[in-house]
């Protein structure tokens, strides 16, 4: 048995299709949905924990990729360079989770990496480039 | 009852001046009233920090040997304007580094432009100057390259033609695709609303009829000191107004100038705006002398009372139709969500309110410490509604 945490990026036209449910039916895999959202580009974003046999996992992932869904391991580390952040708030408009939110008293933008699904949408949107990817 | 700038300066010099920020004055007026506040307080400090594209710096890079009349030049590969005397150049905040792919791969990242050059210069970094000329009898040199730093450059002044907009649009997107604008990423079908003003802390919203701000007003600029040079480009004072005179549309603007030496990259930050271009975030703080009760009344304005126009950036802004979809208050904008066409639309800002606060408090501290005296403007900025007495 293996457990993998992954981020799936669904293109616009695949959002409504029952791709993930076939992982259970056709590949005998189990999954937990950790997070799901639609990004500003109208792509679907799904963070899953997948449990099953390594062989089934590999076949399941090959199937998902064949549907045009891209898979990214949830191991990338998104960090904020606090010295660079100007607390402008531009990232708030794109972050699909609560990882970036405004503290309304201080009017500062707080980054909570536990909520971050590493979708990377904030990286290029941040004007002073304070959000960084660490591999 | 009235105070003059000279009297206020005397009190600053004696360490007796009472200085409050534009946030503090709201509470003071609520507790003690306008009259008492006007008697007590000498100066109200304001602040704003946001991308201000119409910014740049004049730099004199010093002479080469043999001499050169620079006709084309680059700082860290960003072209600078050379259509002035021999070794004077102007770094424009939105100029992009040569060979930047711009929007060829859409949306472009615009990683390094004039705003970043200015930030690096102020941060004390070494920049690469590359210059070319056609050569003249008096200026024979044709190619020149050298490292430059702010410390070695002869003169370097920030000189921004249009900053500190008095109020600004709230940008939304009515189309069915994502758009990338100078107001940030706008998601389709009213997916989000982006605004860009400090509202109740913003300099010109606290002196809506420009009764105290004029040519020569000393200000906090980019972490150092600067001056109001003129009214900014697109300065427009014939606009709808509310309450104590605050415009409900983008209105007045400032042209500002100041020595880059003494400024700080914390308040002069290069911005890369996805799909749009490079810019410079500028920190500005203007002290407002409490000349009379009207000054206090206007500066006590709150986010609840300040309205901004909501504009569609998919069609109306680019086509210049002038259509305004709605008016919302800064209090609503700062709550994180506004109601538009029956929909809750999440808001985000491009102007940093926390940094605007920091600027207003820093300026307050400078004045309280006697490090900053007020200046009497040589002339007030034009304002049709003040001049014609429409209040
Ligand atoms: S990568 Fe950025 S936008 Fe995506 S979830 Fe994390 S913080 Fe939010
Ligand atoms: S966009 Fe960047 S600078 Fe602005 S609040 Fe977010 S992380 Fe900070």
């Amino acid at each position: 048995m293996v457990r993998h945490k992954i981020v799936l990026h669904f293109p616009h036209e695949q959002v409504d299709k029952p791709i993930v449910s076939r992982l259970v039916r056709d590949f005998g895999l189990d999954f937990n949905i950790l997070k799901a959202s639609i990004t500003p580009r109208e792509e679907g974003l799904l963070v899953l924990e997948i449990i099953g046999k390594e062989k089934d996992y590999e076949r399941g992932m090959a199937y998902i990729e064949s549907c045009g869904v891209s898979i990214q391991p949830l191991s990338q580390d998104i960090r904020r360079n606090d010295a660079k952040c100007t607390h402008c708030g531009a990232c708030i408009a794109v972050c699909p989770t609560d990882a970036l939110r405004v503290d309304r008293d201080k009017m500062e933008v707080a980054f909570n990496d536990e909520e971050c699904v590493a979708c990377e949408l904030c990286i290029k949107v941040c004007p002073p480039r304070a959000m960084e990817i660490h591999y | 009852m009235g105070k003059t700038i000279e009297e206020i300066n005397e009190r600053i010099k004696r360490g007796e001046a009472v200085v409050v920020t534009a946030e503090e004055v709201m509470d003071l007026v609520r507790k003690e009233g306008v009259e008492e506040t006007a008697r007590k307080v000498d100066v109200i400090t304001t602040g704003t920090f946001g991308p201000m594209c119409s910014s740049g710096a004049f730099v004199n890079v010093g002479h080469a040997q043999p001499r050169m009349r620079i006709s084309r030049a680059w700082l860290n590969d960003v072209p600078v304007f050379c259509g002035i005397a021999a070794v004077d150049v102007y770094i424009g905040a939105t100029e992009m580094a040569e060979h930047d792919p711009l929007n060829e791969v859409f949306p472009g990242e615009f990683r390094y432009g004039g705003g970043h050059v200015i930030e690096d210069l102020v941060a004390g970094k070494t920049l690469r100057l590359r210059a070319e000329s056609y050569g003249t009898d008096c200026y024979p040199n044709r190619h020149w390259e050298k490292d430059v730093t702010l410390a070695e450059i002869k003169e370097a002044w920030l000189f921004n033609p249009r900053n500190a907009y008095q109020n600004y649009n709230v940008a939304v997107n009515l189309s069915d695709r994502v758009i990338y604008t100078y107001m940030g990423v706008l998601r389709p079908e009213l997916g989000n609303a982006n605004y860009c003003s400090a509202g109740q802390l913003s300099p010109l919203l606290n002196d809506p009829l420009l009764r105290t701000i004029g040519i020569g007003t000393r200000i906090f600029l980019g972490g150092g000191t600067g001056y109001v040079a003129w009214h900014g480009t697109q300065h427009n004072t014939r606009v709808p107004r509310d309450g104590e005179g605050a415009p409900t549309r983008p209105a007045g603007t400032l042209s500002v100038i100041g020595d880059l030496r003494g400024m700080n990259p914390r308040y002069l930050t290069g911005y890369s705006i996805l799909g749009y271009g490079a810019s410079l975030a500028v920190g500005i703080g203007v002290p407002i002398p409490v000349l009379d009760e009207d000054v206090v009344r206007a500066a006590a304005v709150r986010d609840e009372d300040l309205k901004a126009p909501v504009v569609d950036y998919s069609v109306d802004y680019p086509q210049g139709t002038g259509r305004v979809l709605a008016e919302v208050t800064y209090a609503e904008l700062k709550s994180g969500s506004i109601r538009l066409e029956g929909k809750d639309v999440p808001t985000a800002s491009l102007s940093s309110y926390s940094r605007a606060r920091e600027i207003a408090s820093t300026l307050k501290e400078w004045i309280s410490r006697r490090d900053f005296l007020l200046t009497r403007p040589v002339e007030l900025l034009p304002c049709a509604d003040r001049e014609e007495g429409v209040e």
Side-chain angles (χ1 to χ4, degrees):
Chain A
M1 282 299 205
V2 292
R3 271 171 195 272
H4 291 284
K5 282 189 183 166
I6 53 167
V7 185
L8 301 182
H9 293 264
F10 287 73
H12 185 70
E13 61 283 0
Q14 299 281 28
V15 169
D16 305 329
K17 307 227 171 99
I19 296 171
V20 174
S21 60
R22 286 195 54 189
L23 290 180
V24 181
R25 207 178 64 214
D26 298 353
F27 301 95
L29 294 164
D30 237 346
F31 66 87
N32 292 316
I33 297 180
L34 302 179
K35 210 144 279 170
S37 58
I38 305 273
T39 72
R41 275 185 167 283
E42 301 271 281
E43 288 167 341
L45 192 141
L46 202 55
V47 184
L48 297 179
E49 181 180 40
I50 303 205
I51 308 132
K53 295 202 188 92
E54 182 67 40
K55 260 230 153 58
D56 294 336
Y57 172 77
E58 279 165 16
R59 283 173 49 232
M61 291 308 105
Y63 162 70
I64 284 190
E65 277 186 323
S66 74
C67 299
V69 175
S70 70
I71 305 169
Q72 175 201 329
L74 187 64
S75 56
Q76 265 163 25
D77 193 7
I78 305 285
R79 279 182 230 161
R80 184 169 72 181
N81 182 338
D82 287 334
K84 275 184 153 183
C85 173
T86 61
H87 298 279
C88 65
C91 52
I92 299 294
V94 296
C95 180
T97 72
D98 266 343
L100 287 160
R101 64 193 305 177
V102 182
D103 173 332
R104 297 280 155 197
D105 277 337
K106 292 201 216 144
M107 286 304 277
E108 283 181 1
V109 175
F111 174 55
N112 175 1
D113 61 0
E114 290 189 357
E115 294 278 329
C116 174
V117 294
C119 70
E120 300 178 16
L121 286 168
C122 56
I123 304 291
K124 292 175 184 171
V125 163
C126 170
R129 298 295 149 90
M131 300 302 296
E132 297 169 351
I133 310 174
H134 294 259
Y135 295 97
Chain B
M1 167 322 327
K3 281 181 230 171
T4 64
I5 288 177
E6 288 71 20
E7 284 164 2
I8 293 172
N9 275 340
E10 281 312 311
R11 290 172 57 75
I12 296 175
K13 284 186 213 155
R14 288 200 301 268
E16 290 168 4
V18 177
V19 189
V20 299
T21 68
E23 277 186 327
E24 291 162 345
V25 82
M26 306 182 309
D27 296 331
L28 212 54
V29 166
R30 187 177 276 180
K31 273 192 225 127
E32 311 195 1
V34 169
E35 215 173 298
E36 185 53 27
T37 306
R39 203 176 356 254
K40 233 186 226 176
V41 176
D42 298 298
V43 187
I44 299 164
T45 60
T46 62
T48 187
F49 179 88
M52 305 193 193
C53 291
S54 201
S55 296
F58 279 110
V59 171
N60 180 293
V61 295
H63 281 282
Q65 223 183 354
R67 286 180 192 270
M68 179 180 206
R69 204 221 76 76
I70 297 176
S71 57
R72 302 213 304 150
W74 297 259
L75 277 167
N76 281 2
D77 283 330
V78 176
V80 293
F81 178 76
C82 307
I84 37 179
V87 290
D88 285 342
V89 301
Y90 185 75
I91 310 164
T94 65
E95 190 69 55
M96 284 312 301
E98 217 174 31
H99 310 305
D100 187 283
L102 307 175
N103 258 341
E104 264 159 50
V105 183
F106 191 78
E109 291 190 47
F110 301 94
R111 282 168 189 233
Y112 197 87
H116 301 88
V117 171
I118 294 170
E119 176 185 336
D120 283 348
L121 208 52
V122 173
K125 292 192 185 159
T126 302
L127 285 85
R128 190 71 182 163
L129 169 77
R130 188 155 54 86
E132 288 175 0
S133 180
Y134 44 82
T136 72
D137 286 343
C138 42
Y139 291 102
N141 208 337
R142 287 163 189 256
H143 294 282
W144 188 29
E145 270 199 45
K146 70 161 180 171
D147 287 340
V148 295
T149 61
L150 186 58
E152 293 158 18
I153 281 172
K154 265 189 75 55
E155 287 93 7
W157 311 317
L158 193 71
F159 194 173
N160 304 344
R162 181 172 76 246
N163 280 179
Y165 236 120
Q166 189 179 31
N167 212 346
Y168 210 73
N169 295 340
V170 179
V172 296
N173 174 9
L174 291 178
S175 78
D176 58 7
R177 59 178 188 101
V178 183
I179 58 173
Y180 296 86
T181 73
Y182 72 87
M183 290 295 286
V185 180
L186 299 173
R187 290 145 68 183
E189 279 138 24
L190 293 174
N192 63 310
N194 286 1
Y195 65 100
C196 192
S197 168
Q200 62 193 13
L201 258 183
S202 177
L204 299 191
L205 284 176
N206 280 288
D207 182 7
L209 297 171
L210 308 169
R211 293 183 61 235
T212 71
I213 303 171
I215 299 166
T217 296
R218 184 180 288 136
I219 59 171
F220 172 111
L221 179 59
T225 36
Y227 296 86
V228 173
W230 201 254
H231 57 275
T233 53
Q234 296 183 24
H235 181 76
N236 174 19
T237 55
R238 254 181 234 284
V239 287
R241 293 174 189 275
D242 235 13
E244 297 301 325
T248 56
R249 296 287 179 276
T253 63
L254 297 180
S255 173
V256 298
I257 190 164
D259 201 326
L260 270 189
R261 291 191 183 100
M263 292 192 193
N264 179 340
R266 184 172 178 83
Y267 305 106
L268 222 45
T269 312
Y271 267 17
S272 300
I273 303 175
L274 189 62
Y276 171 73
S279 188
L280 182 70
V282 182
I284 293 182
V286 178
I288 297 179
V290 178
L291 303 177
D292 55 31
E293 288 171 13
D294 286 343
V295 169
V296 170
R297 213 168 276 124
V301 76
R302 295 172 167 271
D303 282 336
E304 291 88 304
D305 308 317
L306 291 168
K307 290 189 193 124
V310 180
V311 175
D312 165 46
Y313 273 62
S314 69
V315 173
D316 291 328
Y317 184 85
Q319 299 306 324
T321 68
R323 182 165 74 127
V324 169
L325 302 175
E327 280 182 353
V328 291
T329 68
Y330 280 96
E332 291 169 296
L333 288 164
K334 286 179 193 167
S335 75
S337 162
I338 55 173
R339 189 100 190 136
L340 281 178
E341 304 189 354
K343 213 176 150 181
D344 285 323
V345 181
T347 60
S349 176
L350 294 176
S351 163
S352 170
Y353 194 72
S354 66
R355 207 146 285 183
R357 250 184 202 156
E358 200 176 288
I359 290 168
S361 336
T362 304
L363 184 53
K364 170 180 162 172
E365 205 183 295
W366 288 356
I367 299 172
S368 307
R369 279 201 324 239
R370 298 180 246 184
D371 288 341
F372 186 107
L373 287 177
L374 308 191
T375 56
R376 167 188 284 285
V378 180
E379 217 171 287
L380 290 181
L381 300 182
C383 174
D385 289 344
R386 179 193 72 233
E387 287 148 9
E388 293 159 15
V390 185
E391 288 199 24

